[in-house]
């Protein structure tokens, strides 16, 4: 279908939605926000239904809902997992503003609730390939060194896997880690890891909602090929002052929140590691003089101007500091800023305007001598503007449209010798800039009680800028579509199609991701990557929606995927494009998942069968090869059990085929050392990966007390599996003609203890 | 002249990662089962500005976990030609696969040398021909050399050189460095190879440039008063510098945080038969040498 036809289709969709407008004249609209009654936080994805019917809707990411019904008396039922259902009788004769406060279910509040949304949302919502995790579920997952980590929890979901042992990089359905769009309050996070990748930048105490789209990405989002990880932080308790915190073996954290007058609230959340304090105790002088820590802070304030206007200001600031002795070191970090204005034009038209800034940079410095002192800095910045509209004309249509502008600035590198005595020259690569202008429209339509259709279109105009002039321009239309057929309230099939396009890519000469990776933009010689993804799913709930079963099939066809030539030089390379290679790829798989969403015992078991391949002419002799993320069998089991009011325990077990690897199969000698001759790219696999983690939480405070505190004990890799992080090949020192393989493994039996409190 | 900045920062990252991973990483020897790749023809050698017997070694590659030394290939016809003529190489009677020029041969700066090898590698009775070409870069001029304390680490000495870069046609110079202590080579292996380039420096002066850092707590590098320290600077081609860097990196193995996928090291040896199926590894290069010696005094 050519561009004109897509535009015609988009116009038709809009007109069709508008066509139904006369019907609204006969309907009365009830609208408002659904909130947590205990702290005033907006609830995202809470369900509001007309009792005895399938008429209803869910709250949007800002907690707003709108429901248009014919005049009459109804009972509205608002529900959200972990909260007491609320039935509200209403008589609709004129438009009604109805804010609903849901009270946490005190029993369920003590339990872990896996998913945070309506009770049968997984079956009834017109979307698939979406995973939601509650902050409480994330917290219940046993954590490496006690550091609760949203990305480590996500890696336990079907279709998602870690890029390497302990890494916070993740691959979704065979895609690369740079193909994940990670948003924190709508700002892109370009390097989501601390401590060389072992921890993510997200502080769970500040998080309200986590949604991972593995496919079927809404038309309002794009720019990455594989997934969208949408993380929303808390708005701040507007009922009372509260604090949450913890002291662990490697870090401490504190979150303070509370109302500011009657209309505003704020939250500040911070944490810092102190591994460097332990280093100072080391007998190794090199270790004792070293620096190794990270800190981060989330802050947010919101002000409700009136019933129709609310503003938010949110920020994230994080940094890693790392020094190997006092002579060399590096630091890197992200900053994001988001300013939002929610405006309700009418009970049926909700809008959100956002200004976004996102920044990432790193700095390396070495001062080993006056002659050899060197430094290197690199970074990027994004400035963005979003205008999103959500129009709910009647119960049949649900229309979203908007505009998005992003200005990218890339600073590939500036560095070299420091000072007059430096024997090292300097090099400064020119800054590069790009712009994305995006328009999108998407509609959800209910065709009767059983069939929901979803269709949308995303237009991107991408421009590569050099000294203010456009050197490359590309227009791209990405269609999105889906259908849901509800057999009944607990039983549905869904299908989806989405095209995604990625205009900025990561130059990474690292299989696990590194803070020094560079981003670069599409140009005349670097085409944007494209992916067409097809999905088909079956969803079934049991036992009053307490158990959820899903089976999803997907197929991804990728074009212009990027890889790098052998022995690519990516750092400070003025001719980076010469290092790139382009080709195609595909992935397909089956994801099965059974989960128990609430109750004293809850958790999930998932199994993924998948394949992911690449073909690039100049790599592997042009033959197809396994992508680095091809792991055919992948099993995750996550369980949490409330043993007593005082004790709860959790465990997770993961199994996956080893990652593909290129092994040496021959050798030749150069200057006395053996140089490997390799197999085909990724022809072999590491040994299978499996691991069991355990944790237990001992609640120290009495039930109902304001001051709550607990001890969390965790044991990572409980049976000490020596999973290969990498395999090195060595020559024996005494007998250099004997080569051998040496496995490097991390993290066996890592115990930790954390004291958590809240009041 | 400067160290290669990207490589230098990779080194910093390497040191940092080793420190970080040192907190958690353990190593364990393991068995892996791989199918040995079919044997490759390996040709490796050079011609330099020294007047000596220049060597070309021709071997057959072995499986990675083979425990024997490389098998030399005998009865090859080997020669090196340049504008001024051709040197024939004869197989060493004591070492199969090692082919040597006569002792009075030396390379000339600025000339181009082509290695020609003819042999029947796969034993099918047909002789195949292989060639590789390399220019011989102009030499650097060394004016002086010094051994100094290295301020950053008390237990290290640094070897520093002064001199002038060669005038190179394309503006890029690549180097490797070797250190002799009492005429015994100290960095005598691929992993000890030290390389650099002048990519980011204007002018052609080498001023107090540190080329070696010697850990005085290790016998291999320890200097005693009266020792003769000789520095040899080799002007090498960009292709050979790349070959050495990549071969050295592959010989170390890959660490996920800062290593890309492993890959075969590219050779400049080409078969002259378009239908040849012989896989080839190795390298032929030409380079110039400059040397300077000093007596170490504390």
């Amino acid at each position: 279908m050519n561009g004109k036809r897509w535009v015609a289709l988009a116009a038709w969709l809009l007109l069709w939605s508008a066509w139904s407008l006369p019907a609204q004249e006969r309907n009365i609209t009830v609208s408002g926000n659904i909130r947590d009654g205990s702290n005033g936080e907006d609830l995202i994805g809470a369900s509001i239904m007309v009792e005895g019917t399938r008429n209803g809707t869910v709250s949007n990411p800002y907690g707003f809902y709108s429901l248009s019904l014919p005049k009459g008396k109804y009972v509205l039922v608002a529900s959200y997992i972990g909260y007491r259902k609320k039935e509200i009788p209403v008589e609709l004769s004129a438009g009604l503003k109805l804010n609903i406060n849901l009270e946490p279910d005190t029993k369920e509040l003590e339990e872990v609730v896996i998913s945070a949304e309506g009770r049968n949302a997984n079956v009834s919502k017109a979307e698939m390939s979406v995973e939601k995790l509650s902050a409480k579920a994330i917290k219940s997952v046993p954590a490496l060194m006690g550091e609760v980590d949203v990305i480590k929890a996500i890696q336990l979901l079907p279709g998602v896997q870690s890029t390497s042992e302990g890494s916070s990089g993740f691959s979704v359905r065979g895609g690369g880690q740079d193909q994940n769009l990670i948003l924190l309050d709508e700002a892109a996070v370009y390097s989501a890891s601390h401590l060389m990748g072992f921890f993510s930048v997200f502080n769970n105490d500040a998080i309200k909602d986590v949604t991972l789209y593995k496919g079927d990405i809404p038309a309002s989002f794009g720019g990455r090929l594989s997934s969208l990880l949408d993380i929303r932080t808390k708005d701040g308790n507007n009922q009372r002052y509260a604090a949450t915190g913890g002291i662990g073996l490697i870090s401490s954290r504190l979150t303070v929140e509370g109302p500011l007058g009657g209309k505003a609230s704020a939250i500040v959340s911070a944490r810092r590691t102190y591994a460097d304090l332990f280093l100072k105790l080391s007998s190794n002088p090199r270790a004792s003089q070293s620096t190794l820590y990270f800190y981060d802070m989330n802050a947010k304030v919101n002000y409700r101007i009136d019933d129709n206007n609310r503003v938010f200001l949110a920020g994230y600031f994080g940094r890693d500091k790392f020094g190997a002795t006092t002579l060399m070191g590096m630091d890197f970090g992200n900053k994001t800023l988001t300013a939002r204005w929610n405006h309700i034009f009418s009970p049926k038209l909700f809008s959100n305007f956002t200004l976004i800034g996102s920044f990432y940079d790193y700095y390396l410095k070495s001062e080993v001598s006056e002659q050899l002192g060197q430094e290197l800095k690199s970074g990027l910045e994004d400035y963005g503007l979003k205008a999103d509209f959500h129009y709910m004309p009647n119960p049949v249509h649900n229309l979203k449209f908007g505009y998005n502008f992003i200005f990218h600035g890339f600073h590939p590198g500036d560095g070299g010798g420091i000072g007059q005595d430096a024997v090292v020259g300097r090099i400064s690569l020119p800054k590069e800039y790009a712009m994305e202008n995006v328009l999108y429209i998407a509609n959800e339509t209910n065709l009767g009680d059983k069939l929901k259709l979803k269709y949308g279109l995303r237009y991107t105009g991408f421009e590569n800028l050099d000294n203010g002039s456009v050197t490359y321009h590309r227009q791209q239309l990405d269609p999105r579509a889906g259908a849901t057929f509800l057999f009944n309230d607990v039983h549905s099939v869904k299908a989806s199609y989405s095209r995604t396009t990625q205009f900025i890519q990561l130059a990474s000469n690292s299989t696990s991701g590194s803070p020094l990776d560079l981003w670069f933009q599409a140009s005349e010689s670097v085409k944007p990557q494209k992916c067409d993804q097809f999905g088909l799913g079956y969803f079934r709930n049991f036992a009053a929606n307490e158990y959820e079963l899903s089976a999803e099939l997907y197929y991804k066809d990728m074009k212009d995927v990027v890889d790098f030539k052998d022995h690519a030089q990516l750092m400070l390379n003025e001719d980076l494009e010469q290092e790139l290679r382009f080709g195609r790829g595909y992935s397909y798989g089956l994801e099965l998942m059974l989960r128990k969403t609430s109750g004293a015992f809850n958790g999930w078991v998932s199994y993924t069968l998948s394949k992911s391949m690449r073909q690039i002419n100049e790599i592997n002799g042009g033959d197809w090869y396994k992508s680095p993320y091809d792991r055919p069998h992948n099993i995750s089991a996550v369980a949490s059990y409330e043993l007593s009011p005082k004790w709860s325990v959790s465990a997770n077990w993961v199994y996956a085929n080893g990652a593909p690897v290129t092994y040496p199969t021959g050798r030749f000698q150069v200057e006395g050392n053996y140089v490997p001759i390799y197999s085909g790219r990724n022809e072999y696999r590491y040994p299978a990966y499996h691991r069991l983690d355990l944790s237990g939480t001992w609640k120290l405070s009495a039930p109902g007390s304001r001051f709550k505190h607990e001890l969390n004990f965790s044991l990572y890799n409980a049976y000490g599996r020596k999973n290969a992080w990498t395999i090195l090949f060595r020559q024996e020192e005494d007998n250099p003609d004997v080569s051998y393989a040496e496995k490097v493994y991390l993290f066996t039996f890592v115990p930790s203890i954390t004291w958590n409190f809240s009041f | 002249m400067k160290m290669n900045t990207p490589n230098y920062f990779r080194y910093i990252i390497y040191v940092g990662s080793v420190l970080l991973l040192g907190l958690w990483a353990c190593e364990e020897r393991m068995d892996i089962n791989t199918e040995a790749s079919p044997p490759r023809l390996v040709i490796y050698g050079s011609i330099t500005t020294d007047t000596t017997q220049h060597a070309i070694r021709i071997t057959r590659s072995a499986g990675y976990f083979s425990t024997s030394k490389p098998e030399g290939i005998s009865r090859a016809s080997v020669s090196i030609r340049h504008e001024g003529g051709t040197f024939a190489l004869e197989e060493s009677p004591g070492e199969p696969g090692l082919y040597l020029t006569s002792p009075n041969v030396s390379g000339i700066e600025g000339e181009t040398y082509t290695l020609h090898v003819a042999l029947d590698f796969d034993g099918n009775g047909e002789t195949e021909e292989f060639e590789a070409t390399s220019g011989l870069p102009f030499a650097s001029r060394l004016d002086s050399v010094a051994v100094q304390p290295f301020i950053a680490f008390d237990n290290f000495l640094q070897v520093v050189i002064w001199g002038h870069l060669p005038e190179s046609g394309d503006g890029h110079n690549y180097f490797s460095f070797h250190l002799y202590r009492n005429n015994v080579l100290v960095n005598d292996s691929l992993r000890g190879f030290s390389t650099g380039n002048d990519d980011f420096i204007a002018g052609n002066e080498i001023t107090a440039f540190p080329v070696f850092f010697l850990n005085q707590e290790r016998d291999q590098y320890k200097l005693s008063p009266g020792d003769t320290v000789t520095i040899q600077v080799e002007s090498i081609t960009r292709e050979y510098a790349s070959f050495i860097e990549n071969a050295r990196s592959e010989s170390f193995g890959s660490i996920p945080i800062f290593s890309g996928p492993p890959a075969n090291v590219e050779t400049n040896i080409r078969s002259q038969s378009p239908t040849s199926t012989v896989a080839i590894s190795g390298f032929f290069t030409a380079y110039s040498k400059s040397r300077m010696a000093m007596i170490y005094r504390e």
Side-chain angles (χ1 to χ4, degrees), chain A residues 145 195-196 198 279 286-287 290 292 322-324 327-328 364-366 368-369 371-372 374-376 416 423-427 509-514 516 566-567 569 571-572 662-671 673-678 681 684 687 722 725-730 732 737-747, chain B residues 1-3 5-6 8-10 12-13 15-17 19-21 23-30 32-37 40 42 44 61-70 150 152-153 188-191 193 200-201 207-210 213 240 243 246-247 250-265 281-282:
Chain A
M145 297 181 207
L195 278 186
M196 296 289 191
F198 293 116
L279 287 179
R286 191 177 293 181
S290 296
L292 180 65
F322 177 57
L327 302 169
M328 56 181 72
L364 284 163
K365 189 174 186 180
S366 163
V368 290
S369 71
Q371 293 100 344
L372 287 180
Q374 291 193 57
E375 63 179 356
L376 172 65
V423 295
V424 178
R426 289 191 72 89
I427 182 169
N509 215 352
S510 154
T511 47
S512 69
S514 142
L516 310 185
D566 292 342
H567 305 112
Q569 169 59 54
M571 189 180 282
L572 281 180
T662 308
Y663 274 152
T665 53
R667 66 179 192 181
F668 65 100
Q669 204 170 39
V670 173
E671 304 289 344
N673 286 123
Y674 285 105
V675 177
I677 296 168
Y678 289 105
R681 172 75 70 96
Y684 291 88
K722 295 172 180 174
W725 180 62
T726 188
I727 294 175
L728 302 175
F729 294 89
R730 308 283 199 204
E732 285 187 354
D737 292 321
V738 175
S739 301
Y740 62 94
E742 190 170 70
K743 172 169 67 178
V744 180
Y745 58 94
L746 311 173
F747 309 130
Chain B
M1 185 161 69
K2 68 176 287 295
M3 294 180 79
T5 293
Y8 183 69
F9 281 115
R10 275 207 293 267
I12 293 179
I13 300 160
V15 170
S17 303
L19 178 76
L20 177 63
L21 295 169
L23 300 172
W24 300 306
C26 301
E27 295 174 350
E28 181 179 276
R29 202 158 162 160
M30 67 178 291
I32 61 169
N33 294 316
T34 57
E35 193 177 323
S37 54
R40 284 172 169 245
V42 180
Y44 183 72
S61 74
Y64 189 78
F65 296 106
S66 160
T67 54
S68 54
K69 289 191 180 300
F150 183 45
F153 298 103
D188 59 354
S189 67
L190 175 67
R191 292 184 179 182
F193 243 81
F200 311 123
I201 193 166
T207 308
F209 184 75
F213 302 94
Y240 185 57
F243 173 82
N246 294 336
E250 294 299 346
S251 77
F252 277 116
S254 62
I255 301 288
I257 287 178
F258 51 87
S259 304
N264 285 327
V265 181
S281 289

Side-chain angles (χ1 to χ4, degrees), chain A residues 1-19 219 399-402 439-443 455-459 476-480:
Chain A
M1 191 178 282
N2 62 32
K4 286 182 180 174
R5 288 186 181 178
W6 280 119
V7 173
L9 175 63
W12 178 78
L13 290 173
L14 193 58
L15 287 172
W16 189 30
S17 302
W19 165 79
L399 186 69
K400 291 177 180 171
F401 55 96
L439 287 168
Y440 71 89
I441 182 167
N443 191 27
Y455 37 86
L457 195 58
R458 180 181 175 86
Y459 161 84
Q476 178 68 35
L477 284 170
D478 291 341
R480 315 278 164 90

Side-chain angles (χ1 to χ4, degrees), chain A residues 328-622:
Chain A
M328 56 181 72
M330 68 174 167
D331 61 276
F332 56 92
N334 294 278
K335 290 190 280 282
T336 70
L337 283 168
T338 309
R340 279 185 284 185
W341 171 36
N342 285 179
H343 177 65
I344 299 170
F345 283 97
S346 79
K348 295 179 180 185
L349 181 59
F350 176 91
S351 65
N352 176 62
F353 302 91
T354 312
L355 289 170
I356 300 164
S358 177
F359 312 89
Y360 176 75
D361 71 282
Y362 70 76
Y363 179 68
L364 284 163
K365 189 174 186 180
S366 163
E367 293 179 303
V368 290
S369 71
E370 288 184 354
Q371 293 100 344
L372 287 180
Q374 291 193 57
E375 63 179 356
L376 172 65
K377 52 190 170 187
S378 177
L380 61 81
E381 61 204 28
D382 272 5
Y383 298 96
L385 164 69
K386 287 183 77 181
D388 300 299
F389 299 89
H390 187 181
Y391 181 51
M392 296 148 277
N394 53 46
V396 175
H397 293 292
N398 199 333
L399 186 69
K400 291 177 180 171
F401 55 96
Y403 168 73
N404 188 1
F405 168 78
I406 309 170
F407 179 83
H408 302 286
F410 303 95
H411 309 286
D414 176 13
I418 308 170
Q420 290 183 335
D421 295 330
V423 295
V424 178
R426 289 191 72 89
I427 182 169
S428 182
L429 299 183
K431 294 179 180 175
E432 296 172 2
Y433 302 95
M435 281 196 310
E436 291 182 57
N437 280 283
V438 177
L439 287 168
Y440 71 89
I441 182 167
N443 191 27
E444 250 182 64
T445 303
N446 298 328
L447 296 179
D449 271 0
K450 291 185 180 296
L451 184 60
K452 295 181 181 183
L453 295 181
K454 185 175 73 165
Y455 37 86
L457 195 58
R458 180 181 175 86
Y459 161 84
T460 306
F462 178 86
E463 291 177 337
N464 186 330
L465 305 172
D466 186 13
N467 285 328
S469 61
V470 177
T471 57
Y472 170 73
H473 178 73
R474 167 92 181 208
Q475 297 188 74
Q476 178 68 35
L477 284 170
D478 291 341
R480 315 278 164 90
T484 298
F485 184 80
L486 279 160
F487 295 100
N488 54 42
D489 285 341
V490 294
H491 187 191
S492 67
V493 290
K494 303 182 186 185
S496 70
Y497 163 74
S498 62
R499 173 176 290 170
T500 43
T501 306
Q502 182 160 341
F503 292 94
I504 62 170
Q505 337 283 353
L506 191 65
S508 175
N509 215 352
S510 154
T511 47
S512 69
S514 142
L516 310 185
D517 294 339
L518 298 168
W519 289 84
F520 62 97
Q521 67 218 50
S523 65
E524 280 296 341
S525 49
V526 182
K527 290 181 185 173
Q529 299 183 70
K530 288 189 289 297
C531 176
D532 290 295
Q533 181 168 183
F534 304 86
L536 182 65
Y538 173 72
F539 301 83
R540 178 82 165 93
N541 286 4
F542 302 92
N545 296 309
E546 199 169 346
Y547 292 88
E548 297 178 351
L549 174 70
S550 64
E552 292 195 35
L553 282 165
Y554 68 87
Y555 178 82
K556 294 166 73 170
D557 179 40
M558 291 169 275
K559 295 183 179 68
D560 300 314
V561 295
V562 177
D563 209 326
F564 303 92
K565 76 173 195 185
D566 292 342
H567 305 112
Q569 169 59 54
L570 304 180
M571 189 180 282
L572 281 180
N573 187 338
E574 293 170 293
D575 221 352
L576 182 65
E577 292 182 357
Q578 297 296 319
E579 310 291 299
L580 308 178
R581 299 292 180 265
F582 307 97
R584 55 194 171 140
Y586 67 84
S587 309
Y588 58 81
L590 167 68
E591 296 167 357
L592 301 174
M593 183 161 172
L594 173 66
R595 68 179 176 182
K596 186 169 183 296
T597 57
S598 58
F601 177 78
N602 58 64
W604 68 86
V605 181
S606 71
Y607 168 70
T608 306
L609 174 66
S610 63
K611 184 167 185 167
S612 179
M613 301 291 286
R614 300 277 186 277
Q615 189 272 325
I616 291 170
N617 285 343
E618 295 87 347
I619 294 176
N620 203 40

Side-chain angles (χ1 to χ4, degrees), chain B residues 15-234:
Chain B
V15 170
S17 303
V18 166
L19 178 76
L20 177 63
L21 295 169
L23 300 172
W24 300 306
C26 301
E27 295 174 350
E28 181 179 276
R29 202 158 162 160
M30 67 178 291
D31 293 325
I32 61 169
N33 294 316
T34 57
E35 193 177 323
S37 54
R40 284 172 169 245
L41 170 63
V42 180
I43 301 173
Y44 183 72
S46 60
I47 182 166
T48 74
T49 46
D50 280 355
T51 303
T52 184
Q53 281 190 295
H54 304 277
I56 301 292
R57 191 178 294 275
I58 304 178
T59 56
R60 189 182 302 274
S61 74
Y64 189 78
F65 296 106
S66 160
T67 54
S68 54
K69 289 191 180 300
E71 176 198 342
I73 297 176
S74 297
R75 296 183 296 282
S77 164
V78 183
S79 62
I80 296 172
R81 68 174 184 271
H82 67 125
E83 289 89 333
T86 300
F87 312 117
L89 286 82
E90 300 295 330
E91 187 171 9
S92 163
E95 199 171 342
L98 179 65
Y99 296 83
L100 301 167
T101 64
S102 59
N104 58 348
V105 169
S106 61
I108 301 167
E109 294 168 61
E111 293 222 351
T112 299
Y113 291 84
T114 299
L115 171 72
H116 180 270
V117 174
L119 53 76
D120 175 13
F121 178 72
D122 44 19
N124 62 359
E126 292 180 13
T127 298
E128 291 188 66
E129 297 180 63
F130 304 88
E131 282 195 357
T133 297
S134 171
L136 199 156
F138 288 91
S140 301
R141 194 183 83 215
L142 285 176
D143 294 337
S144 60
V145 56
V147 176
Q148 303 172 338
F150 183 45
I151 297 167
F153 298 103
D154 294 342
N155 52 326
F156 276 69
L157 294 172
Q158 62 177 353
V159 182
V160 180
I161 59 172
W162 286 259
H164 288 79
L165 298 174
E167 297 294 339
S168 170
D170 65 357
H172 292 287
N173 293 290
Y174 295 83
F175 307 93
S176 59
F177 307 98
H178 283 90
L179 177 88
Y180 294 81
R181 180 183 56 190
N182 300 325
N183 297 319
V184 177
L185 184 59
V186 171
N187 56 329
D188 59 354
S189 67
L190 175 67
R191 292 184 179 182
F193 243 81
S194 175
T195 57
N197 67 58
D198 69 341
D199 269 0
F200 311 123
I201 193 166
N204 66 345
E205 287 213 6
I206 304 170
T207 308
F209 184 75
V211 287
F212 282 97
F213 302 94
L214 306 175
N215 184 345
Q216 295 305 287
E217 291 172 359
R218 294 185 62 180
D219 289 344
Q220 185 185 354
Y221 304 115
K222 186 166 176 54
L223 296 182
S224 303
D227 281 350
T228 301
V229 176
T230 306
I231 286 291
Q232 176 175 293
V233 178
E234 297 109 14

Side-chain angles (χ1 to χ4, degrees), chain A residues 6-277:
Chain A
W6 280 119
V7 173
L9 175 63
W12 178 78
L13 290 173
L14 193 58
L15 287 172
W16 189 30
S17 302
W19 165 79
S20 60
L21 293 185
Q24 70 177 313
E25 304 306 326
R26 298 189 295 274
N27 286 335
I28 308 296
T29 301
V30 53
S31 64
N33 279 65
I34 305 178
R35 301 187 183 116
D36 180 329
S38 68
N39 56 25
E41 288 280 346
D42 292 318
L43 297 177
I44 302 171
S47 162
I48 181 159
M49 305 292 292
V50 177
E51 190 181 53
T53 75
R54 285 192 190 147
N55 283 343
T57 188
V58 293
S59 56
N60 71 11
Y62 307 95
F64 180 79
Y65 77 94
S66 171
L67 190 58
S68 293
L69 299 164
K71 277 185 184 177
K73 292 182 178 177
Y74 301 94
V75 175
L76 301 180
V77 181
S79 66
Y80 196 67
I81 292 180
Y83 290 77
R84 281 200 298 274
K85 187 166 67 176
K86 196 165 193 175
E87 296 179 357
I88 308 151
V90 293
E91 180 170 355
L92 293 184
S93 55
L96 177 64
K97 181 84 177 176
L98 181 64
N99 292 327
I100 301 169
N101 288 333
L102 294 180
E103 298 303 323
D105 185 312
T106 48
K107 179 175 176 297
E108 289 194 1
L109 194 63
E110 297 300 316
E111 298 166 353
V112 174
V113 176
I114 301 297
S115 172
E117 54 184 352
R119 286 190 181 270
N120 73 336
N122 64 312
V123 169
S124 62
K125 282 179 83 170
E127 63 182 20
M128 60 181 294
S129 307
V130 179
E131 307 285 354
K132 289 177 81 78
L133 280 178
S134 67
K136 196 172 263 188
I138 295 165
K139 191 181 166 194
S140 76
V141 173
L144 174 61
M145 297 181 207
E147 277 300 302
V148 174
D149 195 324
V150 55
I151 290 184
K152 300 286 174 57
I154 278 170
Q155 291 169 352
L156 299 169
L157 295 166
V160 187
Q161 56 181 288
S162 165
T163 51
S164 77
E165 165 76 285
S167 169
S168 55
F170 62 100
S171 162
V172 175
R173 293 183 168 176
Q177 57 179 334
D178 64 319
Q179 295 175 355
N180 306 315
L181 175 61
I182 301 176
L183 298 180
L184 179 66
D185 284 327
E186 300 187 73
V189 177
Y190 281 93
S191 179
S193 64
H194 283 307
L195 278 186
M196 296 289 191
F198 293 116
F199 302 99
S200 85
V201 298
F202 304 111
N203 179 350
N204 198 52
D205 287 348
I207 291 174
K208 175 162 74 174
D209 185 80
V210 176
T211 308
L212 175 70
Y213 295 84
K214 300 182 290 186
D216 196 16
I217 295 173
S220 49
F221 296 100
R224 299 291 188 281
L225 226 53
S226 285
S227 79
L228 161 67
L229 178 61
D230 188 12
I231 297 176
R232 308 262 169 165
T233 59
K234 291 175 180 170
D235 299 328
N237 193 323
N238 66 11
Q239 309 286 305
R240 64 177 181 86
Y241 294 102
T244 310
I247 297 172
L249 287 185
I250 67 159
S251 80
S252 285
R253 57 188 208 285
L254 179 65
T255 299
V256 180
E257 56 187 319
L260 300 174
K263 291 186 167 184
S265 65
I267 181 170
V268 178
S269 190
R271 61 179 172 162
R272 188 197 190 278
T273 60
Y274 28 70
D276 50 329
L277 302 181

